[in-house]
Amino acid sequence: MQATVEEISGFKKKVTITIPSERVDSEIEKYFADAQKSARLQGFRIGKAPMQLVRHTFKGSMQEEVKLRLHQQTFSKALEEQNIELIDSPTIESDIPEQGNPFTYSAVVDVMPEIQLKAYIGLAATKETYLFKPENIEAELKQMQANLAQLIPLDADAVVEKGHNVTVDFTYIG
């Protein structure tokens, strides 16, 4: 596997990955061998269809499946080798895998931009000091109690007092 990186902008890179034909052929052969074992083709028992018929019947699905397998096997490894960290899903443009040919695909990835710090030495910064006040603690505790309070239903004949929550259902007839 060979990976090359092209910088598109400060936060986008294009990674082009080329997989040798031997590995592509190996994946294609694995796919067809698995397909032959479970193929349900008319006139043949399961797993007994001739390979040529399996290749002809499953060529379209082979291309998609092998393409996905190769992407999954090589993409993260290529990013790791090139020290690229993604921040979003890549946009992948891909060839169609074919027997005897290398497979090439490219991915446009978003990466964290490089931030260059300039002239930060000598900047003044002030540190805030925390002043302890007991009333702040009391206010926070009362707020926590109010947040964790549970509503308990009262009897139907109970009198509504200050601090009670009331739900009123009415229908306007006008």
Side-chain angles (χ1 to χ4, degrees), residues 35-94:
Q36 185 181 30
K37 289 177 189 173
S38 61
R40 292 180 181 258
L41 297 175
Q42 189 172 0
F44 297 97
R45 290 180 291 160
I46 295 174
K48 300 298 181 183
M51 182 58 85
Q52 184 177 3
L53 183 60
V54 171
R55 287 179 184 277
H56 177 72
T57 305
F58 295 106
K59 183 177 182 180
S61 61
M62 176 279 297
Q63 291 172 337
E64 287 302 312
E65 180 67 26
V66 170
K67 180 170 47 171
L68 287 175
R69 283 185 193 178
L70 291 171
H71 289 174
Q72 291 171 350
Q73 293 171 1
T74 59
F75 185 65
S76 59
K77 186 175 180 182
L79 293 180
E80 189 177 303
E81 287 176 1
Q82 299 294 327
N83 292 328
I84 296 174
E85 285 188 44
L86 296 178
I87 59 172
D88 198 8
S89 299
T91 304
I92 297 178
E93 296 174 4
S94 183

Side-chain angles (χ1 to χ4, degrees), residues 95-160:
D95 289 346
I96 296 172
E98 294 178 1
Q99 195 90 30
N101 293 330
F103 176 67
T104 302
Y105 68 96
S106 60
V108 176
V109 296
D110 292 334
V111 295
M112 291 293 288
E114 281 190 31
I115 299 173
Q116 298 175 354
L117 299 176
K118 297 179 182 178
Y120 67 93
I121 297 176
L123 291 177
T126 58
K127 182 179 179 181
E128 290 186 28
T129 56
Y130 177 75
L131 297 175
F132 173 74
K133 295 181 185 176
E135 54 269 9
N136 289 351
I137 292 176
E138 288 299 321
E140 186 65 28
L141 286 174
K142 285 185 180 180
Q143 181 65 38
M144 289 173 70
Q145 287 174 341
N147 289 343
L148 296 173
Q150 296 180 358
L151 298 177
I152 300 171
L154 296 176
D155 295 330
D157 59 340
V159 178
V160 177

